[in-house]
Amino acid sequence: EAQLVESGGGLVQPGRSLRLSCVASGFTFDESAFHWVRQGPGKGLEWVSGITWNSGHIGYADSVKGRFTISRDNAKNSLYLQMNSLRVEDTALYYCVKDRRYCSGGDCHSFSPLYFDSWGRGTLVTVSS
Amino acid sequence: EIVMTQSPATLSVSPGERATLSCRASQSAGSNLAWYQQKPGQAPRVLIYGASTRATGVPARFSGSGSGTEFTLTISSLQSEDFAVYYCQQYNNWPSLTFGGGTKVEIK
């Protein structure tokens, strides 16, 4: 069974940085695509960023483009989100999410995402002075 | 960006009744549409993908329909464990994946 465990959240002042981590287990990490999805307090879900198995395809929501950077370390079964220039509106629970799309042999150069089939429990980021 | 609009925001339903949730896309999402259920204090879980395919372990009372810009999630006979918030999400437009605002299904 897939397991995703996030860490790195906390209280940070506006303008500062934070790095989130997600450690995965229970499946073949380096064949999988991942995303970060956030949920503000009492609000809905917002896709933040996604990355493919070999980091060949990366995407960001407009709200975080230029401030957040997604990355992964396949040797460590880990996903990261570097968040710079944080704003009050970035306050949210950040979920590490696995995409149902995977790459196993064959042509893995293109990417079209599927649905999100596994979610972590989230790590809370609070941006406040 | 494809904007996903869900309606109603809140749906009050009695146990055993049918619930119909709507999701509209601002441009075509094809059949690349998923529905998620989220209960308080829990992460979302996928119910439906490909607009109409039930995920593993999802009861048959959940069904999805639609394509293009109009989608529907139907719960045929609400059980107590179905009271939750439901989100639709399009994955047709990479790298811009978007969720609807959610529909809360509450006990009438």
Side-chain angles (χ1 to χ4, degrees), chain A residues 35 39 43-45 47 59 95 111 113-116 119-120, chain B residues 34 36 38 42-44 46 49 87 89 91 94-95 97 99:
Chain A
H35 307 267
Q39 186 168 34
K43 297 189 176 181
L45 302 170
W47 176 79
Y95 291 104
F111 179 60
L114 287 175
Y115 58 96
F116 301 160
W119 297 64
Chain B
Y36 300 86
Q38 187 178 34
Q42 296 184 17
V46 63
Y49 61 90
Y87 295 94
Q89 179 232 344
Y91 48 92
W94 171 259
L97 309 181
F99 289 90

Side-chain angles (χ1 to χ4, degrees), chain A:
Chain A
E1 182 184 347
Q3 188 169 14
L4 303 166
V5 180
E6 304 94 335
S7 62
L11 173 63
V12 61
Q13 293 180 326
R16 303 298 290 264
S17 299
L18 208 57
R19 189 196 196 203
L20 306 184
S21 300
C22 170
V23 177
S25 60
F27 58 94
T28 306
F29 184 85
D30 61 6
E31 292 180 350
S32 301
F34 294 92
H35 307 267
W36 288 98
V37 173
R38 68 184 181 184
Q39 186 168 34
K43 297 189 176 181
L45 302 170
E46 180 187 16
W47 176 79
V48 173
S49 182
I51 188 169
T52 52
W53 32 85
N54 60 359
S55 306
H57 293 270
I58 288 175
Y60 298 97
D62 287 345
S63 58
V64 307
K65 201 172 293 183
R67 299 187 300 122
F68 290 11
T69 302
I70 192 171
S71 63
R72 61 190 292 161
D73 185 338
N74 287 348
K76 296 182 177 180
N77 282 13
S78 294
L79 177 73
Y80 306 101
L81 186 68
Q82 177 67 42
M83 304 186 296
N84 298 332
S85 304
L86 280 161
R87 304 169 180 170
V88 171
E89 54 264 36
D90 295 320
T91 294
L93 185 64
Y94 284 74
Y95 291 104
C96 171
V97 178
K98 178 178 163 293
D99 196 297
R100 187 65 180 91
R101 180 78 69 191
Y102 64 93
C103 171
S104 180
D107 180 7
C108 298
H109 298 297
S110 61
F111 179 60
S112 53
L114 287 175
Y115 58 96
F116 301 160
D117 65 354
S118 297
W119 297 64
R121 302 186 71 171
T123 185
L124 182 62
V125 173
T126 303
V127 184
S128 174
S129 54

Side-chain angles (χ1 to χ4, degrees), chain B residues 52-88:
Chain B
S52 61
T53 302
R54 273 190 306 277
T56 302
V58 174
R61 63 181 180 273
F62 290 92
S63 63
S65 63
S67 66
T69 61
E70 300 283 345
F71 302 89
T72 301
L73 175 69
T74 301
I75 312 171
S76 60
S77 177
L78 270 156
Q79 306 298 303
S80 57
E81 61 267 29
D82 301 335
F83 292 96
V85 180
Y86 294 84
Y87 295 94
C88 62

